[in-house]
Amino acid sequence: MNSPPALRHDVSVCFDSAGVPRAPFTPPGWRAGALARPLRRFEDGGGVRSAIITLPAGWSSGGAAACSTTQQLYVLQGEVALGGEVLNERAFAVRAGGTAFAALASPSGAEVLMIFDAPPAFTAADSGAVATVLHRDVLEVPAPVPVVNGVAVTGLRRRTLWVDPASGADTRHLTVGAFEGKGPNWHPVHEEIFCLDGKIGPDDRRILTAGWFLHNPAFGVHGYHEHSAAGAVLLEWHDGPWQLNYV
């Protein structure tokens, strides 16, 4: 018989990303000029798992290149160019690790949320594709009524933007209505949440508004009083198959 997981309490991290200082972000193979506000670092502290990246007007990553790891990007504001594709606010793209892709650039400047599976490094290539997955506007992605633990969840629009077929990791765009949660819960994977709009509380001590970030570590009990008075819009991602388990 498998032993139950060792659960941890009060280990979630929650903060306003506007208070995180910008620092140069120049992974191997990228041109200088981009700035990052890290949201979460990998457990060894050696690299950025998720960050808000500021791309100045006229910046380019260089020529076509292959990234050592899967790279996700969501356009928060401004304009991003992937090869011949121009992406604006609410666009989402995934670029699979080890595959050659066209250069990333920003003609007029942009802020994007980037997620990496490991610390990135880029290797020059002769040419490359635009993206593995591309949604020019995430609101155009179908949003069927989600079913959690066999129960249909009304008042929630969940758009699955990407699922990694190898690891089960995924990224979702959530539109949440007013609700009261069902109590403390945990997941077997890391859960990261970025608030795009509205107000939502993971508990009675903190309220997420636009720009706030929440990290619920794997096997960390959280959601002591999840609630929202008027709804919120969130970007949420996990590093493996997500499950909801109540305490």
Side-chain angles (χ1 to χ4, degrees):
M1 179 179 295
N2 293 329
S3 300
L7 300 181
R8 299 178 292 163
H9 295 259
D10 294 320
V11 293
S12 296
V13 177
C14 182
F15 57 84
D16 184 356
S17 66
V20 179
R22 291 184 174 91
F25 183 70
T26 311
W30 256 28
R31 289 180 179 169
L35 301 173
R37 282 182 281 156
L39 299 176
R40 178 186 160 212
R41 294 185 180 274
F42 290 100
E43 280 65 27
D44 61 6
V48 170
R49 158 65 172 168
S50 56
I52 298 173
I53 310 295
T54 301
L55 306 178
W59 179 87
S60 171
S61 62
C67 185
S68 59
T69 184
T70 296
Q71 172 190 19
Q72 303 178 59
L73 64 91
Y74 178 90
V75 182
L76 294 169
Q77 61 182 31
E79 182 181 77
V80 170
L82 296 178
E85 288 282 349
V86 177
L87 306 180
N88 297 298
E89 185 177 343
R90 294 202 307 265
F92 174 82
V94 179
R95 314 181 103 188
T99 305
F101 291 102
L104 169 67
S106 184
S108 56
E111 273 205 341
V112 298
L113 197 159
M114 288 192 182
I115 306 163
F116 300 97
D117 284 358
F122 296 84
T123 305
D126 294 332
S127 62
V130 171
T132 306
V133 174
L134 177 62
H135 301 300
R136 293 173 181 82
D137 186 342
V138 297
L139 296 185
E140 296 177 355
V141 176
V145 175
V147 177
V148 178
N149 294 346
V151 179
V153 181
T154 59
L156 169 65
R157 303 191 72 181
R158 182 172 71 189
R159 295 174 169 88
T160 300
L161 306 183
W162 171 72
V163 178
D164 186 338
S167 68
D170 70 350
T171 299
R172 310 167 178 183
H173 183 277
L174 306 175
T175 302
V176 181
F179 80 101
E180 287 281 335
K182 295 183 179 180
N185 60 87
W186 59 273
H187 318 298
V189 295
H190 291 278
E191 177 181 71
E192 297 178 66
I193 298 172
F194 186 82
C195 185
L196 299 169
D197 195 16
K199 294 182 179 181
I200 186 169
D203 49 49
D204 290 325
R205 296 179 293 115
R206 299 168 291 192
I207 298 292
L208 278 68
T209 58
W212 277 69
F213 171 76
L214 172 66
H215 170 215
N216 296 316
F219 304 109
V221 178
H222 60 279
Y224 300 97
H225 179 207
E226 293 174 327
H227 65 284
S228 178
V233 181
L234 311 169
L235 197 69
E236 177 178 303
W237 57 98
H238 315 102
D239 59 1
W242 182 88
Q243 295 174 354
L244 179 62
N245 303 279
Y246 286 103
V247 176

